[in-house]
Amino acid sequence: MAVARTVVVKAVNAGLWSLQRSRSRSLQQAQTVRALSAIMSPPSKAVVYEHHGPPDSVTRLIELSPVEVKENQVCVKMLASPINPSDINRIEGVYPVRPQVPAVGGYEGVGEVYSVGSAVTGLSAGDLVIPSPPSSGTWQTYVVKDQDMWHKISKDSPIEYAATVTVNPLTALRMLEDFVTLNSGDSIVQNGATSIVGQCVIQLARFRGIHSINIIRDRAGSDEVKERLKALGADEVFTESQLEVKNVKGLLSNIPEPTLGFNCIGGNAASLVLKFLRQGGTMVTYGGMSKKPITVSTSLFIFKDLSLRGFWLQKWLSADKAKECRDMVDYLLCLAQEGKLKYEMELVPFDNFRTALDKALGKLGSQPKQVIKF
C-alpha cells in the first residue's frame, strides 16, 4: 500500500509540474504576442536640451527611439510648432514653470493623429489635433500623449494658425474680457503692438467696436509698420518718441481716454501706457521684453487711482479651464479660417531650425513669428 501511495503522489506531482510548465509557457507566449502586437510610434527627430542655458548653445537635434502607444494614448505626427518667447525662457531656466531636463523644446503646435491606443475613443488616424491645454515637448516629429491632452479641430483650420492659436491669440482674448467691462465705443491702449498678442488685440477689439491706441518702437520702417497695423483695424499708432509730450491725450482725435491698457515691455514703454489711462484705469502686464521694471509716479496712483494687474495664461489654464479654453480656441480658429484674424508668421522647415532660432532670438533683427514646419 505504501508503495502504491508513493507512486500516486509522484504521478500527481509530475502532473502538477507539467501543468505549471505548460501554464508558464502559455504565459510567456501571451506576453510575446502582446509585445509583438504593441503599437509603437515611429522614431522621432527632436530638439532637446540637457541643461538650461542659452538656447543656441544648449539645444541639439537628435533622433529618439520609438515609444509604446499605450491603450489610452495617441501618437500624433506633428505638422507645425512655433518658437515663442516663453519657449526660450524655459530653455534658459528662467520661466516659472518648466519641464525637468533633459527635455524636448516647444509648448504648442498642431499635428495629425498617426495611431491610437486600443481604449481611445473620439479620435482616429488623420484627425487634426492640438495639445490643449498646451504642454511641453512639441518640437519633435512624433508626440505620444494621453488622449485627454489632445483637442480635435476642424481639418479646414489653417495649419500655421492652428499651431499658434493658444498662447498668443488666447492671451489677447482673455485680457480683453477678464479685467474691465468694455463696451462698444470704449478704447484700449497697448505697447508691443506689433507682437502677435498686439495684432490680435487690435482685431478682437475692432470686432467689438472698441478703439485701440497702439505704441511701437522707433525704428527704420516705422511708417510702414503703422500702415500695417491700421490695416488690421488700429485707430491710432504712435512711436515712443511721438509720445514725449506733456499731454498725450491731446494727440487723440475723437477717441475717449482708454480705461484699459496692456503692457508687454516694461520700462518707459509701460509708463507711456499709464499716461493714456483715464481716471480709475487699469494696466495689465503680460510680459517684460525690455527686462526693465515698471515705474509708476506717486501722483498717478493717488490722483488717478490707477490699478496695476498681471496676466499669465498658464495660471488661467490651470484653473480647470480646459473646456472653456477649447471653446475659445475653436472660436479663434474660426476667425482665422474666415480671414478675420491674421498675424505675421514665417514657416521654416525643421531642418532649418537653427536659422529660425537665431531669428527668434533677435540675432537677425526684427522678424515675424518663427513657426517650425515638420
Side-chain angles (χ1 to χ4, degrees), residues 74-282:
V74 176
C75 175
V76 171
K77 181 183 185 300
M78 295 302 294
L79 300 176
S81 179
I83 303 177
N84 289 319
S86 55
D87 296 322
I88 292 171
N89 292 156
R90 285 186 179 89
I91 297 170
E92 292 171 333
V94 298
Y95 204 72
V97 176
R98 52 190 181 269
Q100 290 186 334
V101 292
V104 176
Y107 187 63
E108 66 173 333
V110 62
E112 185 178 82
V113 173
Y114 180 81
S115 61
V116 299
S118 59
V120 171
T121 58
L123 289 175
S124 57
D127 285 343
L128 201 62
V129 293
I130 62 172
S132 180
S135 57
S136 297
T138 55
W139 291 352
Q140 57 182 316
T141 49
Y142 291 90
V143 177
V144 175
K145 292 183 184 291
D146 289 347
Q147 63 172 333
D148 293 341
M149 299 295 294
W150 299 107
H151 173 48
K152 181 179 176 180
I153 61 174
S154 169
K155 287 189 177 181
D156 294 327
S157 301
I159 293 300
E160 65 271 29
Y161 286 94
T164 57
V165 68
T166 304
V167 172
N168 292 299
L170 188 54
T171 292
L173 181 60
R174 289 313 331 154
M175 292 196 303
L176 282 168
E177 296 188 353
D178 286 356
F179 295 93
V180 172
T181 300
L182 294 169
N183 300 308
S184 180
D186 288 341
S187 67
I188 61 96
V189 58
Q190 65 171 343
N191 59 34
T194 58
S195 68
I196 288 187
V197 173
Q199 294 176 61
C200 290
V201 163
I202 291 170
Q203 295 167 87
L204 295 173
R206 183 193 62 189
F207 299 151
R208 292 161 169 76
I210 299 165
H211 303 288
S212 66
I213 303 159
N214 302 274
I215 305 169
I216 63 174
R217 292 177 298 162
D218 288 275
R219 62 181 177 185
S222 58
D223 288 339
E224 290 80 0
V225 172
K226 288 180 181 182
E227 292 306 313
R228 285 204 304 271
L229 294 180
K230 287 185 176 180
L232 293 177
D235 291 274
E236 297 284 358
V237 184
F238 301 106
T239 60
E240 292 180 7
S241 62
Q242 286 181 285
L243 301 178
E244 293 175 358
V245 295
K246 187 172 183 180
N247 181 22
V248 295
K249 290 156 194 170
L251 300 172
L252 302 180
S253 57
N254 302 318
I255 297 177
E257 293 179 76
T259 185
L260 180 63
F262 301 132
N263 163 53
C264 67
I265 297 178
N268 180 61
S271 300
L272 295 175
V273 170
L274 292 169
K275 286 172 70 174
F276 274 105
L277 291 178
R278 75 184 187 191
Q279 181 80 19
T282 298

Side-chain angles (χ1 to χ4, degrees), residues 277-337:
L277 291 178
R278 75 184 187 191
Q279 181 80 19
T282 298
M283 183 176 79
V284 179
T285 293
Y286 66 97
M289 294 170 63
S290 71
K291 299 184 179 179
K292 295 179 181 178
I294 298 170
T295 304
V296 188
S297 70
T298 303
S299 62
L300 286 177
F301 270 131
I302 296 176
F303 302 118
K304 292 188 68 176
D305 191 26
L306 298 182
S307 298
L308 303 183
R309 301 286 302 276
F311 179 79
W312 184 27
L313 182 66
Q314 186 151 342
K315 181 180 180 182
W316 183 86
L317 289 172
S318 65
D320 196 25
K321 301 282 188 179
K323 174 64 168 60
E324 190 175 352
C325 169
R326 293 179 176 188
D327 289 344
M328 288 184 293
V329 162
D330 291 341
Y331 164 70
L332 292 166
L333 283 177
C334 184
L335 292 179
Q337 187 177 332

